[in-house]
Amino acid sequence: MLVAPSILSANFGKLDEEIRAVCDDGCDLVHVDVMDGHFVPNLTIGPVVVQAAAHASSKPLDIHLMVENNTFFIELFAPIKPKYLSFHIEEERHPHRLIQKIRSYGISPAIVLNPHSSLKTIEYILEELDMALLMSVNPGFGGQSFIRSSLKKVEKLRKMIDGAGLKTLIEVDGGVNSENARDLKNAGADILVAGSYIFGSSSYKNAIDSLRA
Protein backbone atom coordinates (compact mmCIF):
# COMPACT_ATOMS: atom_id res chain seq x y z
CA MET A 1 0.00 0.00 0.00
CA LEU A 2 1.38 3.38 -1.04
CA VAL A 3 0.62 6.58 0.85
CA ALA A 4 0.38 10.04 -0.72
CA PRO A 5 -0.04 12.96 1.71
CA SER A 6 -2.11 15.77 0.22
CA ILE A 7 -0.40 19.11 0.75
CA LEU A 8 -3.79 20.83 0.56
CA SER A 9 -3.91 20.27 4.34
CA ALA A 10 -0.30 21.31 4.99
CA ASN A 11 0.80 24.58 6.59
CA PHE A 12 1.54 26.73 3.54
CA GLY A 13 3.52 29.13 5.71
CA LYS A 14 6.21 26.47 5.91
CA LEU A 15 5.31 24.28 2.96
CA ASP A 16 8.87 23.22 2.18
CA GLU A 17 9.33 21.99 5.77
CA GLU A 18 6.01 20.13 5.67
CA ILE A 19 6.90 18.38 2.43
CA ARG A 20 10.36 17.40 3.63
CA ALA A 21 8.83 16.08 6.85
CA VAL A 22 6.34 13.72 5.20
CA CYS A 23 9.02 12.53 2.78
CA ASP A 24 11.41 11.82 5.65
CA ASP A 25 8.61 10.10 7.55
CA GLY A 26 8.02 7.54 4.84
CA CYS A 27 5.42 8.70 2.30
CA ASP A 28 5.62 7.31 -1.23
CA LEU A 29 4.22 10.22 -3.23
CA VAL A 30 3.34 13.85 -2.56
CA HIS A 31 -0.21 14.62 -3.70
CA VAL A 32 -0.83 18.10 -5.12
CA ASP A 33 -4.40 19.36 -5.63
CA VAL A 34 -4.73 22.02 -8.31
CA MET A 35 -8.13 23.78 -8.29
CA ASP A 36 -9.19 26.58 -10.61
CA GLY A 37 -12.22 27.99 -8.81
CA HIS A 38 -14.48 26.92 -11.70
CA PHE A 39 -14.61 23.12 -11.84
CA VAL A 40 -14.65 23.22 -8.04
CA PRO A 41 -15.51 26.23 -5.84
CA ASN A 42 -12.00 26.55 -4.50
CA LEU A 43 -8.76 28.05 -5.80
CA THR A 44 -5.41 26.60 -4.79
CA ILE A 45 -1.95 26.77 -6.32
CA GLY A 46 -0.18 27.39 -9.62
CA PRO A 47 3.05 26.15 -11.21
CA VAL A 48 5.36 28.42 -9.22
CA VAL A 49 4.30 26.88 -5.90
CA VAL A 50 4.20 23.37 -7.37
CA GLN A 51 7.72 23.86 -8.72
CA ALA A 52 8.84 24.84 -5.22
CA ALA A 53 7.09 21.75 -3.85
CA ALA A 54 8.96 19.60 -6.36
CA HIS A 55 12.29 21.04 -5.20
CA ALA A 56 11.40 20.35 -1.55
CA SER A 57 10.18 16.81 -2.19
CA SER A 58 12.41 13.75 -2.30
CA LYS A 59 9.42 11.71 -3.48
CA PRO A 60 7.58 11.89 -6.82
CA LEU A 61 4.72 14.34 -7.24
CA ASP A 62 1.16 13.20 -7.92
CA ILE A 63 -0.71 16.17 -9.42
CA HIS A 64 -4.51 16.06 -9.36
CA LEU A 65 -6.14 18.61 -11.66
CA MET A 66 -9.59 19.87 -10.68
CA VAL A 67 -9.95 22.33 -13.52
CA GLU A 68 -12.06 23.16 -16.57
CA ASN A 69 -9.40 23.58 -19.25
CA ASN A 70 -7.41 20.37 -18.86
CA THR A 71 -5.17 20.87 -21.87
CA PHE A 72 -4.04 24.31 -20.71
CA PHE A 73 -3.18 23.09 -17.21
CA ILE A 74 -1.44 19.95 -18.43
CA GLU A 75 0.84 22.07 -20.60
CA LEU A 76 1.38 24.36 -17.62
CA PHE A 77 2.43 21.61 -15.22
CA ALA A 78 4.14 19.14 -17.57
CA PRO A 79 7.57 20.88 -17.30
CA ILE A 80 7.58 20.08 -13.57
CA LYS A 81 7.66 16.37 -14.50
CA PRO A 82 5.39 14.83 -11.86
CA LYS A 83 5.10 11.05 -11.68
CA TYR A 84 1.32 11.19 -12.21
CA LEU A 85 -0.89 13.83 -13.77
CA SER A 86 -4.61 13.18 -13.38
CA PHE A 87 -7.65 14.91 -14.83
CA HIS A 88 -11.39 14.54 -14.22
CA ILE A 89 -13.37 12.51 -16.74
CA GLU A 90 -16.39 14.76 -16.06
CA GLU A 91 -14.60 17.71 -17.65
CA GLU A 92 -13.03 16.11 -20.71
CA ARG A 93 -14.63 15.46 -24.11
CA HIS A 94 -11.61 13.71 -25.62
CA PRO A 95 -9.92 11.77 -22.79
CA HIS A 96 -7.99 9.39 -25.03
CA ARG A 97 -6.30 12.30 -26.82
CA LEU A 98 -5.42 13.89 -23.49
CA ILE A 99 -4.00 10.63 -22.14
CA GLN A 100 -1.70 10.46 -25.14
CA LYS A 101 -0.66 14.06 -24.61
CA ILE A 102 0.30 13.42 -20.97
CA ARG A 103 2.25 10.31 -21.90
CA SER A 104 4.11 12.22 -24.63
CA TYR A 105 5.65 14.32 -21.85
CA GLY A 106 6.99 11.19 -20.14
CA ILE A 107 4.37 11.47 -17.38
CA SER A 108 2.04 8.68 -16.23
CA PRO A 109 -1.57 9.56 -17.16
CA ALA A 110 -4.44 9.10 -14.72
CA ILE A 111 -8.16 9.80 -14.78
CA VAL A 112 -10.26 10.91 -11.80
CA LEU A 113 -13.88 9.95 -11.14
CA ASN A 114 -16.16 11.86 -8.80
CA PRO A 115 -18.25 9.81 -6.34
CA HIS A 116 -21.30 9.85 -8.63
CA SER A 117 -19.45 9.02 -11.84
CA SER A 118 -19.87 5.57 -13.35
CA LEU A 119 -16.91 3.28 -13.96
CA LYS A 120 -18.35 2.76 -17.44
CA THR A 121 -16.96 6.17 -18.40
CA ILE A 122 -13.42 4.75 -18.34
CA GLU A 123 -14.17 1.15 -19.36
CA TYR A 124 -12.82 1.56 -22.88
CA ILE A 125 -9.75 3.61 -21.99
CA LEU A 126 -8.71 1.78 -18.83
CA GLU A 127 -5.89 -0.02 -20.63
CA GLU A 128 -4.41 3.37 -21.58
CA LEU A 129 -4.16 4.53 -17.96
CA ASP A 130 -1.38 4.04 -15.44
CA MET A 131 -3.70 4.98 -12.60
CA ALA A 132 -7.38 5.61 -11.87
CA LEU A 133 -8.21 7.95 -9.00
CA LEU A 134 -11.55 7.43 -7.27
CA MET A 135 -12.81 10.35 -5.22
CA SER A 136 -14.35 9.23 -1.93
CA VAL A 137 -15.62 12.75 -1.18
CA ASN A 138 -16.94 15.46 -3.46
CA PRO A 139 -13.87 17.37 -4.70
CA GLY A 140 -12.97 20.90 -3.75
CA PHE A 141 -12.22 20.94 -0.04
CA GLY A 142 -10.17 18.96 2.46
CA GLY A 143 -11.40 17.50 5.73
CA GLN A 144 -14.59 15.90 4.39
CA SER A 145 -16.09 12.62 5.59
CA PHE A 146 -15.45 9.41 3.68
CA ILE A 147 -18.32 8.19 1.46
CA ARG A 148 -18.70 4.50 2.32
CA SER A 149 -20.19 3.52 -1.03
CA SER A 150 -16.74 4.23 -2.49
CA LEU A 151 -15.63 0.82 -1.20
CA LYS A 152 -17.98 -0.96 -3.62
CA LYS A 153 -16.68 1.21 -6.43
CA VAL A 154 -13.08 0.27 -5.62
CA GLU A 155 -14.05 -3.42 -5.61
CA LYS A 156 -15.72 -3.13 -9.01
CA LEU A 157 -12.77 -1.29 -10.51
CA ARG A 158 -10.37 -3.88 -9.09
CA LYS A 159 -12.35 -6.62 -10.83
CA MET A 160 -12.34 -4.66 -14.10
CA ILE A 161 -8.56 -4.19 -13.96
CA ASP A 162 -7.73 -7.74 -12.91
CA GLY A 163 -10.23 -9.22 -15.37
CA ALA A 164 -8.53 -7.40 -18.22
CA GLY A 165 -5.06 -8.38 -17.00
CA LEU A 166 -4.01 -4.74 -16.57
CA LYS A 167 -1.52 -3.15 -14.18
CA THR A 168 -3.48 0.09 -13.71
CA LEU A 169 -3.21 1.32 -10.13
CA ILE A 170 -6.19 2.41 -8.05
CA GLU A 171 -5.82 5.55 -5.95
CA VAL A 172 -8.44 6.74 -3.46
CA ASP A 173 -8.74 10.33 -2.25
CA GLY A 174 -11.08 11.80 0.35
CA GLY A 175 -11.68 11.23 4.04
CA VAL A 176 -9.04 8.50 4.19
CA ASN A 177 -7.85 7.58 7.69
CA SER A 178 -6.79 4.58 9.77
CA GLU A 179 -10.43 3.56 10.26
CA ASN A 180 -11.09 2.92 6.56
CA ALA A 181 -7.58 2.20 5.24
CA ARG A 182 -7.82 -1.56 5.81
CA ASP A 183 -11.22 -1.72 4.10
CA LEU A 184 -9.83 0.19 1.14
CA LYS A 185 -6.84 -2.11 0.90
CA ASN A 186 -9.09 -5.18 1.05
CA ALA A 187 -11.31 -3.66 -1.65
CA GLY A 188 -8.30 -3.37 -3.95
CA ALA A 189 -6.84 0.12 -3.56
CA ASP A 190 -3.11 0.58 -4.24
CA ILE A 191 -2.56 4.21 -3.20
CA LEU A 192 -4.22 6.17 -0.39
CA VAL A 193 -4.30 9.95 -0.42
CA ALA A 194 -4.69 11.58 2.98
CA GLY A 195 -4.49 15.25 3.88
CA SER A 196 -5.97 16.34 7.19
CA TYR A 197 -5.43 12.89 8.72
CA ILE A 198 -1.66 13.16 8.20
CA PHE A 199 -1.00 16.88 8.51
CA GLY A 200 -3.40 17.21 11.44
CA SER A 201 -1.64 14.47 13.40
CA SER A 202 1.03 14.91 16.07
CA SER A 203 3.27 12.41 14.27
CA TYR A 204 3.33 12.30 10.48
CA LYS A 205 5.26 9.04 10.60
CA ASN A 206 2.69 7.31 12.83
CA ALA A 207 -0.15 8.52 10.62
CA ILE A 208 1.54 7.31 7.44
CA ASP A 209 2.44 3.97 9.02
CA SER A 210 -1.14 3.49 10.26
CA LEU A 211 -2.47 3.85 6.72
CA ARG A 212 0.05 1.40 5.34
CA ALA A 213 -0.52 -1.12 8.16
Side-chain angles (χ1 to χ4, degrees):
M1 179 65 71
L2 304 181
V3 177
S6 170
I7 63 170
L8 182 64
S9 297
N11 182 342
F12 273 64
K14 51 176 184 177
L15 185 58
D16 56 343
E17 295 178 29
E18 294 274 69
I19 292 172
R20 283 194 291 268
V22 291
C23 290
D24 291 344
D25 285 345
C27 76
D28 301 286
L29 299 161
V30 172
H31 190 81
V32 181
D33 291 306
V34 175
M35 308 179 192
D36 66 352
H38 298 284
F39 180 70
V40 291
N42 197 5
L43 184 64
T44 55
I45 54 181
V48 174
V49 176
V50 177
Q51 183 67 65
H55 284 306
S57 178
S58 59
K59 302 296 174 70
L61 295 191
D62 170 26
I63 297 180
H64 172 194
L65 299 178
M66 287 172 264
V67 300
E68 287 191 345
N69 188 342
N70 284 311
T71 300
F72 171 79
F73 281 93
I74 284 169
E75 292 174 350
L76 201 61
F77 287 98
I80 298 173
K81 294 294 181 183
K83 169 63 178 174
Y84 296 103
L85 192 50
S86 58
F87 62 91
H88 276 259
I89 191 68
E90 300 88 1
E91 191 54 41
E92 187 53 44
R93 293 182 180 179
H94 306 287
H96 187 270
R97 183 185 300 162
L98 205 56
I99 290 167
Q100 291 177 320
K101 187 177 188 66
I102 293 171
R103 199 175 291 283
S104 73
Y105 288 117
I107 299 168
S108 293
I111 281 182
V112 194
L113 279 76
N114 279 337
H116 72 279
S117 297
S118 172
L119 292 174
K120 291 181 179 181
T121 60
I122 61 169
E123 182 178 2
Y124 297 107
I125 51 176
L126 193 55
E127 63 185 73
E128 305 291 335
L129 299 173
D130 288 351
M131 183 176 75
L133 168 53
L134 300 183
M135 294 300 299
S136 45
V137 299
N138 290 297
F141 297 94
Q144 298 183 66
S145 297
F146 180 77
I147 297 174
R148 293 291 299 179
S149 61
S150 302
L151 289 169
K152 293 181 180 179
K153 198 171 184 180
V154 175
E155 289 176 353
K156 289 181 180 180
L157 181 56
R158 180 82 275 157
K159 289 179 181 178
M160 287 173 62
I161 291 170
D162 293 348
L166 303 176
K167 296 182 179 180
T168 310
L169 298 178
I170 300 175
E171 183 174 60
V172 180
D173 181 6
V176 173
N177 55 42
S178 59
E179 295 179 3
N180 52 45
R182 182 179 297 276
D183 290 337
L184 285 166
K185 180 179 180 180
N186 291 339
D190 300 294
I191 307 171
L192 299 182
V193 177
S196 56
Y197 177 71
I198 293 175
F199 287 105
S201 69
S202 57
S203 169
Y204 296 169
K205 185 179 188 306
N206 288 345
I208 292 169
D209 288 346
S210 71
L211 295 176
R212 188 173 287 117

Coordinates of all heavy atoms in Angstrom, one line a residue, residues 53-112:
A53 N 7.4 23.0 -4.5 CA 7.1 21.7 -3.9 C 7.9 20.6 -4.4 O 8.4 19.7 -3.7 CB 5.6 21.4 -4.0
A54 N 8.1 20.6 -5.7 CA 9.0 19.6 -6.4 C 10.4 19.7 -5.9 O 11.0 18.6 -5.7 CB 8.9 19.7 -7.9
H55 N 10.9 20.9 -5.7 CA 12.3 21.0 -5.2 C 12.4 20.5 -3.7 O 13.4 20.0 -3.4 CB 12.7 22.5 -5.3 CG 13.1 23.0 -6.7 ND1 14.0 22.3 -7.5 CD2 12.6 24.0 -7.4 CE1 14.1 22.9 -8.6 NE2 13.2 23.9 -8.6
A56 N 11.4 20.8 -3.0 CA 11.4 20.4 -1.6 C 11.2 18.9 -1.4 O 11.6 18.3 -0.4 CB 10.3 21.1 -0.8
S57 N 10.5 18.2 -2.3 CA 10.2 16.8 -2.2 C 11.3 15.9 -2.7 O 11.9 16.1 -3.7 CB 8.9 16.5 -3.0 OG 8.5 15.2 -2.9
S58 N 11.5 14.8 -1.9 CA 12.4 13.7 -2.3 C 11.6 12.6 -2.9 O 12.2 11.6 -3.3 CB 13.3 13.3 -1.1 OG 12.4 12.8 -0.1
K59 N 10.3 12.7 -2.9 CA 9.4 11.7 -3.5 C 8.7 12.3 -4.7 O 8.5 13.5 -4.9 CB 8.4 11.3 -2.4 CG 9.0 10.7 -1.2 CD 9.8 9.5 -1.4 CE 10.6 9.0 -0.2 NZ 9.7 8.5 0.9
P60 N 8.2 11.4 -5.6 CA 7.6 11.9 -6.8 C 6.3 12.6 -6.5 O 5.6 12.4 -5.5 CB 7.3 10.6 -7.6 CG 8.2 9.6 -7.0 CD 8.4 9.9 -5.6
L61 N 6.0 13.6 -7.4 CA 4.7 14.3 -7.2 C 3.6 13.6 -8.0 O 3.8 13.0 -9.0 CB 4.9 15.8 -7.8 CG 5.8 16.7 -7.1 CD1 5.6 18.1 -7.7 CD2 5.7 16.7 -5.6
D62 N 2.4 13.8 -7.4 CA 1.2 13.2 -7.9 C 0.2 14.4 -8.0 O -0.4 14.8 -7.0 CB 0.7 12.1 -6.9 CG -0.7 11.6 -7.2 OD1 -1.1 11.7 -8.4 OD2 -1.4 11.2 -6.3
I63 N 0.1 15.0 -9.2 CA -0.7 16.2 -9.4 C -2.1 15.8 -9.9 O -2.3 15.2 -10.9 CB 0.0 17.1 -10.4 CG1 1.3 17.6 -9.9 CG2 -0.9 18.3 -10.7 CD1 2.0 18.5 -10.9
H64 N -3.1 16.3 -9.1 CA -4.5 16.1 -9.4 C -5.1 17.4 -9.8 O -5.3 18.3 -9.1 CB -5.1 15.6 -8.1 CG -6.6 15.4 -8.1 ND1 -7.4 15.3 -6.9 CD2 -7.5 15.5 -9.1 CE1 -8.7 15.2 -7.3 NE2 -8.8 15.3 -8.6
L65 N -5.5 17.4 -11.1 CA -6.1 18.6 -11.7 C -7.6 18.6 -11.4 O -8.3 17.7 -11.8 CB -5.9 18.7 -13.2 CG -4.4 18.8 -13.6 CD1 -4.3 18.8 -15.1 CD2 -3.7 20.0 -13.0
M66 N -8.2 19.7 -10.8 CA -9.6 19.9 -10.7 C -9.9 21.2 -11.4 O -10.1 22.2 -10.7 CB -10.0 19.9 -9.2 CG -9.9 18.5 -8.6 SD -10.2 18.6 -6.8 CE -8.5 18.6 -6.2
V67 N -9.9 21.1 -12.7 CA -10.0 22.3 -13.5 C -10.9 22.1 -14.7 O -11.3 21.0 -15.0 CB -8.5 22.7 -14.0 CG1 -7.6 22.9 -12.8 CG2 -8.0 21.6 -14.9
E68 N -11.2 23.2 -15.4 CA -12.1 23.2 -16.6 C -11.3 23.0 -17.9 O -11.7 22.2 -18.7 CB -12.9 24.4 -16.7 CG -14.0 24.5 -15.6 CD -15.0 25.6 -15.9 OE1 -14.7 26.5 -16.7 OE2 -16.1 25.5 -15.3
N69 N -10.2 23.7 -18.0 CA -9.4 23.6 -19.2 C -8.2 22.6 -19.0 O -7.1 23.1 -18.7 CB -8.9 25.0 -19.7 CG -8.3 25.0 -21.0 OD1 -7.9 24.0 -21.6 ND2 -8.2 26.2 -21.6
N70 N -8.4 21.4 -19.2 CA -7.4 20.4 -18.9 C -6.2 20.5 -19.7 O -5.0 20.5 -19.2 CB -8.0 19.0 -19.1 CG -8.9 18.5 -17.9 OD1 -8.5 18.7 -16.7 ND2 -10.0 18.0 -18.3
T71 N -6.3 20.8 -21.0 CA -5.2 20.9 -21.9 C -4.2 22.0 -21.5 O -3.0 21.9 -21.4 CB -5.6 21.1 -23.3 OG1 -6.4 20.0 -23.7 CG2 -4.4 21.2 -24.3
F72 N -4.8 23.2 -21.1 CA -4.0 24.3 -20.7 C -3.2 24.0 -19.5 O -2.0 24.3 -19.4 CB -5.0 25.5 -20.4 CG -4.3 26.7 -19.8 CD1 -3.5 27.5 -20.5 CD2 -4.4 26.9 -18.4 CE1 -2.9 28.6 -19.9 CE2 -3.8 27.9 -17.8 CZ -3.0 28.8 -18.5
F73 N -3.9 23.4 -18.5 CA -3.2 23.1 -17.2 C -2.2 22.0 -17.4 O -1.1 22.0 -16.7 CB -4.2 22.8 -16.1 CG -4.9 24.0 -15.5 CD1 -6.1 24.4 -16.1 CD2 -4.3 24.7 -14.5 CE1 -6.7 25.6 -15.5 CE2 -4.9 25.8 -14.0 CZ -6.1 26.3 -14.5
I74 N -2.4 21.0 -18.2 CA -1.4 19.9 -18.4 C -0.2 20.5 -19.0 O 0.9 20.2 -18.6 CB -2.0 18.8 -19.3 CG1 -3.0 18.0 -18.5 CG2 -0.9 18.0 -19.9 CD1 -3.9 17.0 -19.3
E75 N -0.3 21.4 -20.0 CA 0.8 22.1 -20.6 C 1.6 23.0 -19.6 O 2.8 23.1 -19.6 CB 0.4 22.9 -21.8 CG -0.1 22.0 -23.0 CD -0.6 22.8 -24.1 OE1 -0.8 24.1 -23.9 OE2 -0.9 22.2 -25.2
L76 N 0.8 23.5 -18.6 CA 1.4 24.4 -17.6 C 2.2 23.6 -16.6 O 3.3 24.0 -16.2 CB 0.2 25.1 -16.9 CG 0.5 26.4 -16.1 CD1 1.1 27.4 -17.0 CD2 -0.7 26.9 -15.4
F77 N 1.8 22.4 -16.3 CA 2.4 21.6 -15.2 C 3.4 20.5 -15.7 O 4.2 20.0 -15.0 CB 1.4 21.0 -14.3 CG 0.7 22.0 -13.4 CD1 -0.5 22.5 -13.7 CD2 1.4 22.4 -12.2 CE1 -1.1 23.5 -12.9 CE2 0.8 23.4 -11.4 CZ -0.5 23.9 -11.7
A78 N 3.3 20.2 -17.0 CA 4.1 19.1 -17.6 C 5.6 19.4 -17.4 O 6.4 18.5 -17.1 CB 3.8 18.9 -19.1
P79 N 6.1 20.7 -17.5 CA 7.6 20.9 -17.3 C 8.1 20.5 -15.9 O 9.3 20.3 -15.7 CB 7.7 22.4 -17.6 CG 6.6 22.7 -18.5 CD 5.4 21.9 -18.0
I80 N 7.2 20.4 -14.9 CA 7.6 20.1 -13.6 C 7.9 18.6 -13.5 O 8.6 18.1 -12.5 CB 6.5 20.5 -12.6 CG1 6.3 22.0 -12.6 CG2 6.8 20.1 -11.1 CD1 5.1 22.6 -11.8
K81 N 7.4 17.8 -14.4 CA 7.7 16.4 -14.5 C 7.2 15.6 -13.3 O 8.0 14.9 -12.6 CB 9.1 16.1 -14.7 CG 9.7 16.6 -16.1 CD 9.0 15.8 -17.2 CE 9.6 16.2 -18.6 NZ 8.9 15.5 -19.7
P82 N 5.9 15.7 -12.9 CA 5.4 14.8 -11.9 C 5.4 13.4 -12.3 O 5.5 13.1 -13.5 CB 4.0 15.3 -11.7 CG 3.6 15.8 -13.0 CD 4.8 16.4 -13.6
K83 N 5.2 12.5 -11.3 CA 5.1 11.0 -11.7 C 3.7 10.8 -12.3 O 3.7 10.1 -13.4 CB 5.2 10.2 -10.4 CG 4.8 8.7 -10.5 CD 5.7 8.0 -11.5 CE 5.4 6.5 -11.6 NZ 6.1 5.8 -12.6
Y84 N 2.7 11.3 -11.7 CA 1.3 11.2 -12.2 C 0.7 12.6 -12.5 O 0.9 13.5 -11.7 CB 0.4 10.4 -11.2 CG 0.9 9.0 -11.0 CD1 1.5 8.7 -9.8 CD2 0.6 8.0 -11.9 CE1 1.9 7.3 -9.6 CE2 1.0 6.7 -11.7 CZ 1.7 6.4 -10.5 OH 2.1 5.1 -10.3
L85 N -0.1 12.6 -13.5 CA -0.9 13.8 -13.8 C -2.3 13.3 -14.1 O -2.5 12.6 -15.1 CB -0.3 14.6 -14.9 CG -0.8 16.0 -15.2 CD1 -0.8 16.9 -14.0 CD2 0.1 16.6 -16.3
S86 N -3.2 13.7 -13.2 CA -4.6 13.2 -13.4 C -5.6 14.3 -13.7 O -5.5 15.4 -13.2 CB -5.0 12.4 -12.1 OG -5.0 13.2 -11.0
F87 N -6.6 14.0 -14.5 CA -7.7 14.9 -14.8 C -9.0 14.2 -14.6 O -9.1 13.0 -14.7 CB -7.5 15.4 -16.3 CG -7.6 14.4 -17.3 CD1 -8.8 14.1 -17.9 CD2 -6.5 13.7 -17.8 CE1 -8.9 13.1 -18.9 CE2 -6.6 12.7 -18.7 CZ -7.8 12.4 -19.3
H88 N -10.0 15.0 -14.5 CA -11.4 14.5 -14.2 C -12.1 14.2 -15.5 O -12.1 15.0 -16.5 CB -12.2 15.6 -13.5 CG -12.0 15.5 -12.0 ND1 -12.9 14.9 -11.1 CD2 -11.0 16.0 -11.2 CE1 -12.5 15.0 -9.9 NE2 -11.3 15.6 -9.9
I89 N -12.6 13.0 -15.6 CA -13.4 12.5 -16.7 C -14.6 13.4 -17.0 O -15.0 13.6 -18.1 CB -13.8 11.0 -16.6 CG1 -14.3 10.4 -17.9 CG2 -14.8 10.8 -15.5 CD1 -13.2 10.3 -19.0
E90 N -15.2 14.0 -15.9 CA -16.4 14.8 -16.1 C -16.2 16.0 -16.9 O -17.1 16.7 -17.3 CB -16.9 15.1 -14.7 CG -17.3 14.0 -13.8 CD -16.1 13.5 -13.0 OE1 -15.0 14.0 -13.1 OE2 -16.3 12.5 -12.2
E91 N -14.9 16.4 -17.0 CA -14.6 17.7 -17.6 C -13.9 17.5 -19.0 O -13.4 18.5 -19.5 CB -13.7 18.6 -16.7 CG -13.5 20.0 -17.1 CD -14.8 20.8 -17.3 OE1 -15.8 20.5 -16.5 OE2 -14.9 21.5 -18.3
E92 N -13.8 16.3 -19.5 CA -13.0 16.1 -20.7 C -13.8 15.4 -21.8 O -14.4 14.3 -21.6 CB -11.8 15.3 -20.4 CG -10.8 15.1 -21.5 CD -10.4 16.5 -22.1 OE1 -10.1 17.4 -21.4 OE2 -10.4 16.6 -23.4
R93 N -13.9 16.0 -23.0 CA -14.6 15.5 -24.1 C -13.8 14.4 -24.9 O -14.4 13.5 -25.5 CB -15.0 16.6 -25.1 CG -16.1 17.5 -24.5 CD -16.4 18.6 -25.5 NE -17.4 19.5 -25.0 CZ -17.9 20.5 -25.7 NH1 -17.5 20.8 -27.0 NH2 -18.8 21.3 -25.2
H94 N -12.5 14.6 -24.8 CA -11.6 13.7 -25.6 C -10.5 13.1 -24.7 O -9.3 13.5 -24.9 CB -11.0 14.5 -26.8 CG -12.0 15.1 -27.7 ND1 -12.8 14.4 -28.5 CD2 -12.3 16.5 -27.8 CE1 -13.6 15.3 -29.2 NE2 -13.3 16.5 -28.8
P95 N -10.9 12.3 -23.8 CA -9.9 11.8 -22.8 C -8.8 11.0 -23.4 O -7.6 11.1 -22.9 CB -10.8 10.9 -21.8 CG -12.0 10.6 -22.6 CD -12.2 11.7 -23.5
H96 N -9.1 10.2 -24.4 CA -8.0 9.4 -25.0 C -6.9 10.3 -25.6 O -5.7 10.0 -25.4 CB -8.6 8.5 -26.1 CG -7.6 7.5 -26.7 ND1 -6.7 7.8 -27.7 CD2 -7.2 6.3 -26.3 CE1 -6.0 6.8 -28.0 NE2 -6.3 5.8 -27.1
R97 N -7.3 11.4 -26.3 CA -6.3 12.3 -26.8 C -5.5 12.9 -25.7 O -4.2 13.1 -25.8 CB -7.0 13.4 -27.6 CG -6.1 14.4 -28.3 CD -7.0 15.5 -29.0 NE -7.9 14.9 -30.0 CZ -8.9 15.5 -30.4 NH1 -9.2 16.7 -30.0 NH2 -9.7 15.0 -31.3
L98 N -6.1 13.3 -24.6 CA -5.4 13.9 -23.5 C -4.5 12.9 -22.8 O -3.4 13.3 -22.4 CB -6.4 14.4 -22.5 CG -6.0 15.6 -21.6 CD1 -5.5 16.8 -22.5 CD2 -7.1 16.1 -20.7
I99 N -4.9 11.7 -22.7 CA -4.0 10.6 -22.1 C -2.7 10.5 -23.0 O -1.6 10.5 -22.4 CB -4.7 9.3 -22.1 CG1 -5.8 9.3 -21.1 CG2 -3.7 8.1 -21.8 CD1 -6.8 8.1 -21.2
Q100 N -2.9 10.5 -24.3 CA -1.7 10.5 -25.1 C -0.8 11.7 -25.0 O 0.4 11.6 -25.0 CB -2.2 10.3 -26.6 CG -2.8 9.0 -26.9 CD -3.3 8.9 -28.3 OE1 -3.9 9.9 -28.9 NE2 -3.2 7.8 -29.0
K101 N -1.4 12.8 -24.8 CA -0.7 14.1 -24.6 C 0.2 14.0 -23.3 O 1.4 14.4 -23.3 CB -1.6 15.3 -24.6 CG -0.9 16.6 -24.5 CD -1.9 17.7 -24.6 CE -1.2 19.1 -24.7 NZ -0.6 19.2 -26.1
I102 N -0.4 13.5 -22.2 CA 0.3 13.4 -21.0 C 1.5 12.4 -21.1 O 2.6 12.7 -20.7 CB -0.7 13.0 -19.9 CG1 -1.7 14.0 -19.6 CG2 0.1 12.6 -18.6 CD1 -2.8 13.6 -18.6
R103 N 1.2 11.3 -21.8 CA 2.2 10.3 -21.9 C 3.4 10.8 -22.8 O 4.5 10.4 -22.6 CB 1.7 9.0 -22.5 CG 2.5 7.8 -22.2 CD 1.9 6.5 -22.7 NE 0.8 6.1 -21.9 CZ 0.9 5.5 -20.7 NH1 2.0 5.4 -20.1 NH2 -0.2 5.2 -20.0
S104 N 3.1 11.7 -23.7 CA 4.1 12.2 -24.6 C 5.1 13.1 -23.9 O 6.3 13.2 -24.3 CB 3.5 13.1 -25.7 OG 3.0 14.3 -25.3
Y105 N 4.7 13.5 -22.7 CA 5.7 14.3 -21.9 C 6.5 13.4 -20.9 O 7.3 13.9 -20.1 CB 4.9 15.3 -21.0 CG 4.3 16.5 -21.7 CD1 2.9 16.7 -21.8 CD2 5.1 17.4 -22.4 CE1 2.4 17.8 -22.5 CE2 4.6 18.5 -23.0 CZ 3.2 18.7 -23.1 OH 2.7 19.7 -23.8
G106 N 6.3 12.1 -21.0 CA 7.0 11.2 -20.1 C 6.4 11.1 -18.8 O 7.1 10.7 -17.8
I107 N 5.1 11.5 -18.7 CA 4.4 11.5 -17.4 C 3.3 10.4 -17.4 O 2.7 10.1 -18.5 CB 3.7 12.8 -17.1 CG1 4.8 13.9 -17.1 CG2 2.9 12.9 -15.9 CD1 4.2 15.3 -17.2
S108 N 3.1 9.7 -16.3 CA 2.0 8.7 -16.2 C 0.7 9.3 -16.2 O 0.4 10.1 -15.3 CB 2.3 7.8 -15.0 OG 3.5 7.1 -15.1
P109 N -0.2 9.0 -17.1 CA -1.6 9.6 -17.2 C -2.5 8.9 -16.2 O -2.5 7.6 -16.0 CB -2.0 9.4 -18.6 CG -1.3 8.1 -19.1 CD 0.0 8.1 -18.3
A110 N -3.4 9.6 -15.6 CA -4.4 9.1 -14.7 C -5.7 9.9 -14.9 O -5.7 11.0 -15.3 CB -4.0 9.2 -13.3
I111 N -6.8 9.2 -14.7 CA -8.2 9.8 -14.8 C -8.8 9.7 -13.4 O -8.7 8.8 -12.7 CB -9.0 9.1 -15.8 CG1 -8.6 9.6 -17.2 CG2 -10.5 9.4 -15.6 CD1 -9.5 9.1 -18.4
V112 N -9.6 10.8 -13.1 CA -10.3 10.9 -11.8 C -11.8 10.8 -12.0 O -12.3 11.4 -13.0 CB -10.0 12.3 -11.1 CG1 -10.4 12.2 -9.6 CG2 -8.5 12.6 -11.2

